[in-house]
Amino acid sequence: MARGTARFSPSALQAQRLNTDGRPDRTSLTAEELARRVGAAKSHILAYENGHRVPDPPRISALAHALKVQPRQLMDLTDGRAWTLADWRRAQGLRAQDVVEILGISVKNYRRFETEGIVPSRRPQFVDEVARALAMRRPAVEAAMDRTPAVRRRQARAYELVVALAELYVPRRGPWRGPAPDDPHLTELAAAYGRPVQRLQRVLTHELGELRQSQVRALRERVIADYDPDRDRQANAQYAVDRWSEVYERDLGLIPQRLERFHRTAQPSDLWQILADLYTVDATVRADAGTWVPTALLGRPADVLPPHFVEHCDVGDVPVCRLTAQGANHVVSFHGLYAALYPTTRRPLRPAAVAARGSGKARAATAEAFTLPGHAQRLVVPHPVLESVRLALTGPRTSFHLALSPTVGLMVALNTLSASPADQSPPEPAPATPE
C-alpha cells in the first residue's frame, strides 16, 4: 500500500458506494458514477475497492464528499485505538501541508509534533488547535500522541536519564542546587523535549528536590530503626523507612510522565497567573457550580485562556469564566513546576488561606462575591484585584468603579462589592473643609 494510507478500507468504500446500510437520504452509485464525481477513472475506483490501489488523502476527501460521509468512514476503524496522529490526519483526508496551512505553523514544527510529540513552546494551546483541525477531542489527540513510537522511546530513555540524575545529585550533601546545567544527562533530556537546558534544569531541580525530601525522611527513620532502644519505636520507624522508600521509587517513576504532560500543557507566566488566581478564589466547577469570575477583571481577552482549562459563558451581558475540573487538576499537579519556572508569580492559595492573610483575615470568602440583578450566579473578584483597588481607596475616595461589560460595572468599597451601571462614574472627592 502507498505510504500514509494503510488505514484505508476497500470494503468500507464499496459499502458506502452501494449504500449497503440503506440510508434513506442516499442512493447507491455505480463505480462509473462515483468516478465521474471525483474526477477519476472507473478503473481507479475498482482498484481502490479491490485493494490494488490506495487513494491519497485528497482523493479520500473527494470520495467522502461525493458519498456524503466523513473521510474516516472510509477507513478501517477496527483498530482505531492504535492510530497515531498521522493516521487520524489521513483519515480526515488531510495532508500534513493542509494542517500546516490551517494552523499557520512551519512544516518543521508540525512534523516534530506529529512524529515526536513535541508541542511548540510558543503555542500553549497548540494541542487544542490540532484537535479542532482534525475534528477530534483533545483527549483523543493526547492518546494518539502517546502511541507515537518516538514518544514511547523518549519516555523510556527519559526514565533512564532521570534515574541517573537522581543517583548522582539527590544523595549529595549540602544545600540543594539540583542538576548541574552542563550535565550531559540534562542536556540530552532537554533536547528530547525540545526545550532549553535552563528550563529543564529548573523543572528537574524541583522534581528531584521532592525526591530528596523523601530520601531525607527515610534516612531519619532509619536512624531510629537502627539505634532507638524502644522496640516499638524501632518497628514503627522501620515501617516508615519502607513507606518513604516506596514513595521515592513511585515518584521517581512518575517524573518522565509528568515531564511529558507538563510540556504539552505548560502555559506562559501571564496565563499561569490567571489560572492560579482563578484557583485561589475557588472559581471551579468542583467547588460551586454557580461561582464565576468576570473575565474583564483578569486583564486578558477570554480567547487566550486554554479552552480545556477554563469554561466561559455570559451572565447577562457580562462575560465570565471559571476553571474546569481539568484546569483545577492542572494547577494542583504542576504548581510546583510553575513556581520553579516563574518564581516571581503569585502561587495558588485556597480561599481559607487568602482570608487569613494580612488585611484580608477579617473578610470571609463570601465578602469577595456579588450578584447581578435578576441572576443567581455568584461572581467572584480575584483577590489581587480587590487588594490593589482597596489599597487605592485612600483619603476622601471611598469607592472605585470597574467596568465589567458595556452596561454593567462593579462598585468596590472598602468592605462591600455591588453591581452598578457601567456609565456610573466614581464619586468625586469631597472638598476639603477649611479650618
Side-chain angles (χ1 to χ4, degrees):
M1 286 190 173
R3 179 180 182 274
T5 52
R7 306 294 183 180
F8 174 74
S9 172
S11 60
L13 174 62
Q14 186 177 62
Q16 294 294 344
R17 177 174 67 80
L18 297 177
N19 193 24
T20 56
D21 292 339
R23 287 175 48 182
D25 58 332
R26 289 180 47 216
T27 58
S28 62
L29 299 174
T30 66
E32 187 175 0
E33 289 172 330
L34 179 57
R36 188 165 52 249
R37 292 188 180 189
V38 299
K42 175 183 175 180
S43 60
H44 290 167
I45 302 300
L46 295 177
Y48 297 153
E49 293 182 353
N50 291 323
H52 299 152
R53 295 185 61 175
V54 180
D56 60 11
R59 178 56 57 85
I60 291 174
S61 182
L63 289 168
H65 180 74
L67 294 170
K68 299 180 181 179
V69 297
Q70 295 296 322
R72 66 186 61 179
Q73 291 177 262
L74 303 180
M75 301 294 161
D76 180 4
L77 301 176
T78 57
D79 62 344
R81 292 188 177 182
W83 287 16
T84 64
L85 272 175
D87 294 326
W88 282 107
R89 170 179 58 75
R90 293 157 188 154
Q92 198 62 24
L94 296 171
R95 301 167 300 173
Q97 183 61 41
D98 298 326
V99 181
V100 165
E101 293 173 0
I102 293 171
L103 299 178
I105 194 172
S106 70
V107 174
K108 176 184 177 181
N109 279 344
Y110 181 73
R111 285 294 187 188
R112 290 184 74 192
F113 173 75
E114 190 174 275
T115 62
E116 301 177 48
I118 296 178
V119 176
S121 59
R122 298 182 183 276
R123 298 280 287 268
Q125 297 186 37
F126 188 74
V127 177
D128 298 285
E129 297 173 29
V130 172
R132 287 193 294 270
L134 301 184
M136 298 172 64
R137 296 175 58 249
R138 182 190 171 94
V141 173
E142 294 206 68
M145 292 172 67
D146 289 334
R147 290 190 289 269
T148 303
V151 171
R152 292 181 173 180
R153 290 193 297 269
R154 177 168 64 235
Q155 290 205 39
R157 179 57 177 159
Y159 177 74
E160 297 173 355
L161 295 171
V162 169
V163 169
L165 289 167
E167 291 176 349
L168 181 60
Y169 293 102
V170 169
R172 284 191 176 180
R173 297 182 178 180
W176 174 240
R177 294 186 176 87
D182 59 350
D183 188 290
H185 300 94
L186 182 66
T187 303
E188 182 180 346
L189 201 58
Y193 286 103
R195 296 295 187 267
V197 173
Q198 183 183 30
R199 180 185 180 93
L200 260 294
Q201 197 267 344
R202 290 184 177 183
V203 167
L204 282 175
T205 295
H206 173 269
E207 294 290 88
L208 297 181
E210 294 295 304
L211 292 181
R212 183 180 170 93
Q213 292 301 315
S214 298
Q215 189 177 81
V216 167
R217 293 185 177 99
L219 291 174
R220 288 173 179 171
E221 297 294 341
R222 170 58 62 194
V223 172
I224 298 174
D226 289 345
Y227 299 108
D228 197 288
D230 187 282
R231 290 185 178 272
D232 288 339
R233 283 199 295 267
Q234 280 188 323
N236 291 335
Q238 183 58 54
Y239 173 78
V241 169
D242 295 339
R243 181 171 61 86
W244 283 114
S245 297
E246 290 174 1
V247 169
Y248 180 96
E249 293 298 329
R250 180 201 66 193
D251 291 349
L252 177 63
L254 290 176
I255 289 177
Q257 299 175 32
R258 282 174 54 79
L259 292 177
E260 195 75 41
R261 288 174 52 213
F262 182 67
H263 287 116
R264 290 181 190 177
T265 57
Q267 302 298 306
S269 59
D270 54 346
L271 295 191
W272 159 245
Q273 190 67 88
I274 292 176
L275 295 177
D277 288 344
L278 287 176
Y279 187 87
T280 295
V281 299
D282 207 25
T284 70
V285 292
R286 301 174 306 145
D288 185 346
T291 301
W292 299 82
V293 171
T295 307
L297 300 181
L298 300 179
R300 294 294 301 274
D303 58 357
V304 304
L305 298 172
H308 64 296
F309 287 163
V310 182
E311 178 184 3
H312 301 276
C313 77
D314 292 327
V315 177
D317 70 341
V318 176
V320 296
C321 64
R322 64 184 176 192
L323 287 183
T324 63
Q326 270 188 295
N329 290 336
H330 181 80
V331 173
V332 172
S333 298
F334 297 122
H335 65 90
L337 299 187
Y338 280 112
L341 287 178
Y342 314 130
T344 60
T345 57
R346 293 184 297 274
R347 301 191 180 191
L349 300 172
R350 301 305 298 167
V354 174
R357 294 178 63 196
S359 61
K361 66 181 181 180
R363 302 188 187 101
T366 54
E368 299 182 352
F370 66 100
T371 58
L372 301 180
H375 297 277
Q377 292 91 339
R378 295 171 59 243
L379 306 187
V380 180
V381 182
H383 180 73
V385 175
L386 274 182
E387 193 172 43
S388 61
V389 170
R390 284 174 171 153
L391 285 175
L393 296 179
T394 58
R397 188 164 193 171
T398 59
S399 63
F400 197 92
H401 185 266
L402 300 173
L404 303 181
S405 76
T407 63
V408 179
L410 173 66
M411 192 65 70
V412 180
L414 188 60
N415 295 304
T416 61
L417 301 174
S418 60
S420 63
D423 58 357
Q424 181 175 335
S425 58
E428 294 294 331
T433 303
E435 297 183 358

